[in-house]
Amino acid sequence: MADIIKLLPDHVANQIAAGEVVQRPASVVKELLENSIDAGATLIKLIVKDGGKALIQVVDNGLGMSETDARLSFERHATSKISSAQDLFNLETKGFRGEALASIAAIAHVDMQTKTENAEIGVHLKIEGSKIKSQEVVATPKGTSISVKNLFFNIPARRNFLKSNQVELRHITDEFHRVALVHPNIEFHFYNNGSEIFNLPRANQRQRIGHVFGSKMTDRLVPVNEETEVVKVSGFVCKPEFAKKSRGEQFFFANNRFIKSPYLHHAVVAAFEGLIKSDLYPGYFLYLDVDPASIDINIHPTKTEVKFDDENTIYAILRSTIKHSLGQFNVAPVLDFEHDPNLDTPYAYKEKGAVIPKVTVDATFNPFQEAAKSSPSKSSYQKTSAKGWENLYDGLDKNIDTDNFSSLEIESDTAVQGTMYSDSEEETQTGITFQLRRKYIVSTIKSGMLVIHQNRAHERILFEKFLGEITVKEGISQQLLFPLELSFSQQERVILKEIQESLINVGFAFESLEEETVKVTGVPLLLSESGIGTVLDRIIADYKEGFEGSSISQAELLAKGLARNLAVKSGEVLDQESQLALVNDLFGCKEPSLSPFQKLTYTTISEGDIEKKFS
Ligand code: ADP
Ligand code: MG
C-alpha cells in the first residue's frame, strides 16, 4: 500500500489554527491590541465597522517592524517575544505563540503598514488567505497599522455563525475594556462606524475605570491593596449596594492580563458574604501580580484561563484583603436589603463610624394570619385593568377569554362542567381570597382550591400588558415634574439606544441619550420615581444577558424585564382589593398558567386531593 500521510500545506494548517485563535471579530481585536501593547505603543486607535465584520483596524505608535519582520510576522510560530522554552516561564509580553497574525491572515484580507523609528520609509503589505498579494514602500509615521477586512471570507460557515453587528460590537467592547483597564498609561481611541465611542486619555487606574464605565463608577470604588510574598493585590471593589443582577463589572487581571477565574471570583463573593443578596454580583477590578514562574497561561490559546501554583493561598489572601477593605471603608455592615440604592449618597458612609448591623423585624408578622389589612402601604399591587373581580362570576362575558377557562378545567383533576367558579350565591358575590405566607393568594373554586403564586402571576399580567403596549405603542407615560438625571456608561447607553423605541412605547421619555447623564422626563404609569434607576439598570442587565442566548424579540425582552422588575414580590402584603384584582387580571391574560419565565403561576387542589388527606 502506498504511503498516505502528507504534511498539510501551511495555509491549511494556518486556517485550522485560526479556528482556535479567531472565534469572532473580538478575538482579532484582542490580538491586535495586545500586539500594539507589546510593541510599546503609548497611543492606540481601534477602528471598527459593522461589528468588525467589515473592518477592524488597529493603529499604534509602537516600535514598528523592519521589512523582513513584517513579512515574517505572518508566518506561523514567528514571534519576537520568546526564543526558548525557558522564556515561557518568564513572560513579560501578552503574545508569545506567534500564531495570531498567521491565523488572521489565513481567514481575512489583511493590510499592514509599518515603519520603525530609524527606517526612512515604511512597508505596505497586502495579504489574503495567507498569501502575500502585494508589497510596496509607503511613507508612514513610526508604528504599525493593521486592517483586517472581510473576516472569514473563505469560511462561509464561520461567517454565517457570527451574531448581529450589535452583539459582535459588544464582544469587541468587552475585549477593549479588558485591555484598556489594565493599561491606563496608554491613550486609547475607539471608533465605531465613524463615530468615536471611547476616548481614553492617559490616566491613573481609578480615572481609567471612570473613563470606561462613566464617572459615577469612581464614587463606588473601594480601594484594595495588599502585598504578600505570594501575590500583590491592588485595585478596587464596588460598594455592596452597587452589586448588580448581571455579570459585566468583574475583572481579574494577573500580571497585566485579563483572566477568568471562577475560583477567585468565589473568593470575592465570599468576602461580600452577608452584604449582598446571593443572586447579585459584586463589581470588582482586581490586579494580581505574581512571580511569572508561578503562573501558567499556556493552557488555552485565547489565554484567559490561567493556572496559579498557589491558588489556595491567593484565594485566602484575596478574601481577607477585600473583607478588610470593606470594613476599613465602613461599607461593610449595612444589612438593609430593602433600601433603595438610588437614594443614598456615597458620602453618607464617610460620616459613619462602625455601624451595628441593623435587621428590621416586623414584630407583628404572623405567617398564619390572613393578609394584614392594616398595612395598605405595602400593597404595591396596582390593578392593571379596570375589569372587576365580579366579572369572573358573570359567567363567561366578553372580557374573559373562554379558552382560559377550558384549559383550567382540563388541568384540574376533576373535570368541571361549565364555569370554574361555583354558581352558588355566596361565593359569586364575594370572591373570597386570602394571602398565604405573603406569597400565595388562595381562593376557592368549584373543584376545590386555587393557589396563585402572587409574584409569578403578576409577572404574567405585567408582561402581557407591556408587550401589548410596545406593540400598539400606547403605553401611558407619567411625566416627571423634575426630570431625573441618571448617568450611564457608554456601553449602557448603546443598549438604551437600541431599545429606546420600545422604552418610549411603554411610557419612558428621555431628553437625550448622547451625554453620559441621561435625563429621564417620563416613566411608565406603574413605576415609582425612586425605582427608575434600578429598573433601567436591571433592564440593561437583562438585555445584555438575554439577547445573545436567544432569538426572542426586543419587545419581549423589555416586557419581561419590566414585568420582572415591577411585579409584586413574594413577601409583600396585599390587601383584599389587590388580591382580587390580581386574580382577576391573571385570568384575563392570554396565557394565565405560566409566568413569562415559564414557571407555573397557579395550581389547583381538588376536593378529591383534600379528601384523600383525611382518609
Ligand atoms: P505573538 O504576538 O505571539 O508574537 P503575533 O502573530 O501576534 O505573535 O505577532 C507576530 C510578531 O509580529 C510579533 O512577535 C511581533 O514581533 C510582530 N508584531 C505584530 N504586531 C506588531 C505591532 N503592532 N508592532 C510591532 N510588531 C508587531
Ligand atoms: Mg500577538
Side-chain angles (χ1 to χ4, degrees):
M1 186 174 141
D3 299 335
I4 51 173
I5 294 181
K6 293 190 275 296
L7 276 179
L8 288 175
D10 271 354
H11 69 275
V12 179
N14 284 340
Q15 206 167 323
I16 293 170
E20 271 204 73
V21 180
V22 184
Q23 275 113 23
R24 54 181 359 135
S27 333
V28 174
V29 169
K30 172 178 190 278
E31 295 297 337
L32 295 183
L33 290 178
E34 290 190 347
N35 280 347
S36 295
I37 291 165
D38 284 345
T42 57
L43 170 70
I44 300 177
K45 287 184 195 163
L46 169 63
I47 299 154
V48 162
K49 289 205 174 118
D50 297 343
K53 293 173 194 168
L55 172 72
I56 298 162
Q57 184 177 11
V58 171
V59 185
D60 70 47
N61 65 352
L63 288 174
M65 283 174 265
S66 69
E67 186 203 321
T68 317
D69 282 354
R71 291 178 69 103
L72 255 181
S73 68
F74 291 100
E75 298 289 325
R76 203 139 62 98
H77 306 308
T79 178
S80 55
K81 297 169 194 174
I82 59 171
S83 47
S84 72
Q86 195 51 40
D87 293 346
L88 272 176
F89 301 105
N90 222 334
L91 279 172
E92 300 273 323
T93 55
K94 311 225 169 226
F96 58 88
R97 292 165 171 269
E99 265 178 350
L101 287 186
S103 300
I104 294 167
I107 50 163
H109 295 168
V110 178
D111 197 303
M112 175 201 271
Q113 303 196 14
T114 185
K115 188 181 98 68
T116 58
E117 174 104 71
N118 300 323
E120 295 273 300
I121 199 111
V123 199
H124 184 181
L125 283 178
K126 285 189 183 170
I127 296 171
E128 287 176 15
S130 295
K131 293 192 185 65
I132 296 189
K133 293 277 165 179
S134 78
Q135 178 179 341
E136 286 160 17
V137 292
V138 64
T140 178
K142 172 204 163 205
T144 305
S145 160
I146 300 184
S147 316
V148 177
K149 291 181 192 155
N150 304 324
L151 190 64
F152 298 129
F153 77 98
N154 49 1
I155 318 180
R158 292 297 288 271
R159 197 172 169 87
N160 294 338
F161 175 77
L162 293 176
K163 297 266 167 58
S164 71
N165 291 354
Q166 285 152 353
V167 170
E168 294 302 338
L169 177 65
R170 213 167 296 147
H171 284 285
I172 290 174
T173 309
D174 282 344
E175 289 297 348
F176 178 78
H177 284 170
R178 293 167 181 181
V179 172
L181 285 171
V182 85
H183 295 283
N185 52 339
I186 298 178
E187 179 178 339
F188 286 94
H189 297 260
F190 179 177
Y191 303 85
N192 174 51
N193 290 338
S195 58
E196 185 173 59
I197 59 173
F198 284 96
N199 173 344
L200 308 178
R202 298 180 64 154
N204 65 28
Q205 201 65 261
R206 190 184 196 117
Q207 292 163 334
R208 174 57 59 92
I209 294 172
H211 290 148
V212 172
F213 287 103
S215 54
K216 67 176 174 183
M217 181 60 94
T218 41
D219 297 334
R220 301 179 176 180
L221 301 177
V222 177
V224 175
N225 277 300
E226 179 68 281
E227 199 162 349
T228 70
E229 292 212 331
V230 181
V231 61
K232 177 171 170 275
V233 182
S234 64
F236 304 90
V237 293
C238 294
K239 290 174 185 165
E241 64 269 31
F242 298 108
K244 292 201 173 161
K245 281 253 176 188
S246 74
R247 295 165 201 266
E249 286 159 10
Q250 288 75 35
F251 293 89
F252 278 122
F253 302 94
N255 295 2
N256 286 343
R257 204 186 274 280
F258 172 81
I259 60 159
K260 283 187 185 150
S261 170
Y263 182 66
L264 296 184
H265 171 76
H266 190 270
V268 182
V269 172
F272 274 86
E273 198 185 305
L275 300 174
I276 57 173
K277 287 188 189 172
S278 60
D279 61 339
L280 298 183
Y281 296 95
Y284 54 82
F285 306 86
L286 293 166
Y287 302 80
L288 312 177
D289 274 303
V290 297
D291 179 355
S294 76
I295 180 174
D296 183 0
I297 44 185
N298 202 4
I299 302 177
H300 194 265
T302 56
K303 293 169 279 184
T304 53
E305 266 109 73
V306 299
K307 177 104 194 61
F308 295 99
D309 287 354
D310 244 333
E311 209 161 42
N312 296 345
T313 317
I314 296 177
Y315 181 102
I317 293 170
L318 206 53
R319 185 181 146 179
S320 72
T321 305
I322 294 169
K323 263 201 150 148
H324 178 76
S325 296
L326 288 171
Q328 197 180 7
F329 289 87
N330 290 326
V331 289
V334 183
L335 263 178
D336 186 359
F337 289 143
E338 291 310 320
H339 91 174
D340 184 342
N342 290 297
L343 296 179
D344 57 39
T345 61
Y347 308 106
Y349 292 104
K350 286 192 193 150
E351 263 75 77
K352 288 184 191 166
V355 185
I356 302 163
K358 65 166 191 276
V359 180
T360 20
V361 177
D362 176 2
T364 61
F365 177 58
N366 174 355
F368 301 107
Q369 201 177 39
E370 285 185 23
K373 293 176 183 109
S374 56
S375 53
S377 61
K378 265 270 157 189
S379 85
S380 50
Y381 182 78
Q382 283 158 290
K383 268 186 169 194
T384 50
S385 79
K387 286 177 243 162
W389 162 265
E390 311 76 46
N391 291 352
L392 275 181
Y393 298 93
D394 289 348
L396 303 173
D397 74 6
K398 60 181 184 307
N399 280 332
I400 298 158
D401 185 345
T402 26
D403 292 347
N404 293 325
F405 282 87
S406 37
S407 65
L408 244 191
E409 286 154 19
I410 292 158
E411 270 188 61
S412 62
D413 295 348
T414 48
V416 184
Q417 266 95 57
T419 65
M420 178 175 73
Y421 293 94
S422 159
D423 290 337
S424 79
E425 274 297 291
E426 68 281 5
E427 280 182 42
T428 52
Q429 271 164 10
T430 47
I432 304 157
T433 61
F434 71 91
Q435 198 182 15
L436 181 69
R437 301 206 141 238
R438 296 182 170 184
K439 195 170 173 189
Y440 307 102
I441 311 293
V442 181
S443 179
T444 50
I445 49 171
K446 194 171 179 183
S447 64
M449 220 163 106
L450 173 71
V451 184
I452 294 176
H453 192 292
Q454 66 185 43
N455 168 253
R456 295 179 189 170
H458 199 203
E459 282 179 348
R460 160 57 58 186
I461 295 163
L462 291 178
F463 171 69
E464 292 196 5
K465 167 185 135 64
F466 286 120
L467 197 61
E469 288 176 359
I470 296 168
T471 346
V472 301
K473 306 181 196 270
E474 62 170 21
I476 301 168
S477 181
Q478 165 193 346
Q479 286 308 113
L480 297 178
L481 207 50
F482 303 101
L484 188 71
E485 298 198 351
L486 297 170
S487 64
F488 292 97
S489 72
Q490 154 64 28
Q491 202 186 12
E492 288 168 339
R493 270 178 289 135
V494 169
I495 293 177
L496 278 180
K497 271 188 233 166
E498 275 173 38
I499 56 177
Q500 183 175 16
E501 204 186 314
S502 304
L503 285 169
I504 291 170
N505 290 341
V506 293
F508 280 100
F510 303 98
E511 213 150 78
S512 156
L513 289 175
E514 303 307 318
E515 302 292 310
E516 186 181 314
T517 310
V518 170
K519 268 195 190 154
V520 184
T521 55
V523 296
L525 203 53
L526 294 176
L527 187 53
S528 73
E529 197 167 332
S530 61
I532 300 170
T534 326
V535 165
L536 283 175
D537 270 351
R538 290 192 185 160
I539 289 173
I540 291 170
D542 284 348
Y543 191 75
K544 249 196 258 176
E545 294 243 304
F547 207 73
E548 267 174 66
S550 59
S551 57
I552 359 173
S553 72
Q554 201 185 77
E556 208 177 319
L557 252 165
L558 179 62
K560 274 188 184 176
L562 280 167
R564 188 213 301 268
N565 291 313
L566 295 178
V568 166
K569 302 286 178 292
S570 295
E572 281 183 48
V573 175
L574 294 182
D575 63 20
Q576 193 74 33
E577 202 190 339
S578 301
Q579 296 173 28
L580 296 180
L582 186 126
V583 181
N584 187 14
D585 287 341
L586 177 65
F587 292 104
C589 284
K590 290 209 184 76
E591 203 182 302
S593 58
L594 290 178
S595 82
F597 308 97
Q598 304 306 313
K599 298 262 177 61
L600 275 188
T601 53
Y602 68 84
T603 180
T604 56
I605 300 170
S606 70
E607 203 183 334
D609 293 338
I610 298 170
E611 262 162 18
K612 259 183 241 152
K613 297 232 177 238
F614 286 106
S615 63

